[in-house]
Amino acid sequence: MNKIIDPHLHFFELTQGHYQWLKQGNPPFWPDKHKLRHHFHEQSLTLKQDAVLAGFVHIEAGFDNTKPWREIAWLESSCNLPFKTVAGIDLTLKEDDFKESISQLLLYPSVVGCRHILDEQAYELLSHKNVQHNLAYLAKNQLSFDLQMPLADKHSVDVLLDLLNHLPTLRLIINHGGWPPLNDASIDDSTPSAWQQWQTNVVALSQFEHCVIKCSAWEMLDRNYDKQWQQEVITQCLKAFGSQRVMLASNFPLVLLTQNYHTLWEQYLNLDATLNLTSEQITALTYANAAYWYKFNL
């Protein structure tokens, strides 16, 4: 029996949370976004008989961006499996307001980290003094930061690398493989392609021992993504970070825009054949690494 800890998923309770991003008139403007506008709970997760869900990490889903602890309270009152939570946080808050938010979140035992989605604003946000001070405060409180931004963005990654040099104890968990590019076409021969830039920055970030990477959200880049591209992304992450600092995740329920939850996990569990990995490596990627980096006591 394969034990799995899914280190990146989201549940929705539409009657209690705000979920502004799920509303029709708000971005992202995906033509299939309506498929996500449903309740998704722990009971929504199903696996085949050769696998069992031993736990999960819930990543903030926009339940209440001004009072992120409300989402945590709901989860802790409704979930039964072992789980940890990564709470939403506004890294631009002034020092006192940020500390107050963290003190509220620390009242909940499942909270192990925070996330503020950076994406296209990564350079501006990482250069912000409040953001830099608040990331240091996360590290001081032994909370990890789930980083969502494109690692092919050289200028933003340069700022991030400088920041990490000043915050050697910050546990940084890269979300969604750092948005690996789908296309390897260069503008000209002297310009590194987006794929090459992504590879270079993955290697650079891997030099920090408290930095790890999660591979997931393939469907957000391409609903019909190429499995070979997916496997190449995982291979490059393993080359850079090693099998102890890479995690495979579902991004549920967004994975449902492409395939069933159990189908993705079947693919992950069969990577020993396609990528020539050992059973110990598969266990690390699908269970043990998530247990360690997200502080499960199993």
Side-chain angles (χ1 to χ4, degrees):
M1 182 68 69
N2 297 294
K3 290 196 297 184
I4 290 167
I5 293 177
D6 189 340
H8 196 112
L9 56 70
H10 317 277
F11 296 149
F12 304 158
E13 177 49 65
L14 302 182
T15 62
Q16 296 187 43
H18 298 165
Y19 306 108
Q20 296 298 326
W21 69 278
L22 280 176
K23 295 181 179 177
Q24 185 174 356
N26 295 338
F29 299 109
W30 302 331
D32 53 359
K33 189 168 74 171
H34 64 279
K35 296 178 181 179
L36 302 174
R37 215 169 288 125
H38 300 283
H39 301 305
F40 291 102
H41 301 145
E42 185 180 282
Q43 295 75 21
S44 308
L45 306 173
T46 58
L47 294 169
K48 292 292 188 179
Q49 291 182 347
D50 62 343
V52 60
L53 192 64
F56 60 84
V57 182
H58 185 279
I59 310 298
E60 61 87 17
F63 186 102
D64 186 336
N65 292 335
T66 59
K67 298 178 180 178
W69 48 88
R70 289 188 59 236
E71 182 174 48
I72 311 303
W74 165 63
L75 290 163
E76 292 193 359
S77 68
S78 61
C79 294
N80 296 310
L81 284 170
F83 74 97
K84 297 296 181 180
T85 55
V86 173
I89 198 72
D90 182 354
L91 285 175
T92 67
L93 289 173
K94 294 180 180 178
E95 181 178 3
D96 289 345
D97 293 334
F98 188 81
K99 288 182 176 180
E100 176 60 27
S101 289
I102 294 301
S103 68
Q104 290 280 351
L105 291 170
L106 288 174
L107 296 174
Y108 297 91
S110 68
V111 174
V112 291
C114 294
R115 181 172 81 156
H116 179 147
I117 294 175
L118 306 181
D119 279 349
E120 68 278 358
Q121 295 180 296
Y123 182 84
E124 176 188 352
L125 288 169
L126 291 172
S127 303
H128 197 296
K129 290 300 180 185
N130 287 7
V131 171
Q132 295 172 1
H133 291 315
N134 291 337
L135 285 172
Y137 192 71
L138 287 184
K140 181 180 178 180
N141 283 274
Q142 299 182 318
L143 292 170
S144 60
F145 179 63
D146 265 56
L147 174 89
Q148 182 172 312
M149 61 174 274
L151 297 188
D153 179 355
K154 181 181 185 302
H155 298 299
S156 297
V157 174
D158 285 346
V159 177
L160 175 63
L161 291 170
D162 183 62
L163 189 57
L164 290 176
N165 275 314
H166 290 89
L167 297 175
T169 62
L170 176 65
R171 197 164 74 259
L172 188 78
I173 302 177
I174 301 167
N175 288 191
H176 307 323
W179 298 131
L182 290 164
N183 195 332
D184 194 25
S186 297
I187 298 172
D188 57 58
D189 290 341
S190 64
T191 304
S193 69
W195 174 261
Q196 291 169 328
Q197 191 64 64
W198 173 83
Q199 284 181 295
T200 297
N201 289 333
V202 164
V203 171
L205 286 164
S206 72
Q207 306 309 303
F208 295 88
E209 62 180 16
H210 289 100
C211 182
V212 301
I213 193 164
K214 289 188 292 192
C215 295
S216 58
W218 318 103
E219 72 288 336
M220 290 182 68
L221 292 164
D222 186 347
R223 298 291 192 263
N224 300 299
Y225 63 86
D226 186 333
K227 297 296 194 299
Q228 287 187 317
W229 164 80
Q230 176 198 46
Q231 292 170 15
E232 183 61 23
V233 170
I234 295 170
T235 297
Q236 294 301 322
C237 290
L238 286 169
K239 283 183 179 178
F241 283 91
S243 59
Q244 305 305 307
R245 290 193 290 150
V246 176
M247 292 174 265
L248 302 178
S250 73
N251 198 34
F252 180 87
L254 286 85
V255 63
L256 302 178
L257 298 175
T258 296
Q259 61 194 320
N260 291 326
Y261 184 75
H262 64 78
T263 302
L264 178 69
W265 282 105
E266 283 183 272
Q267 293 170 4
Y268 285 158
L269 292 170
N270 287 322
L271 285 175
D272 55 344
T274 54
L275 297 185
N276 196 29
L277 301 176
T278 66
S279 60
E280 289 78 11
Q281 287 174 313
I282 294 295
T283 298
L285 296 175
T286 60
Y287 174 79
N289 294 347
Y292 177 78
W293 291 105
Y294 282 110
K295 300 183 176 181
F296 281 80
N297 297 312
L298 299 175

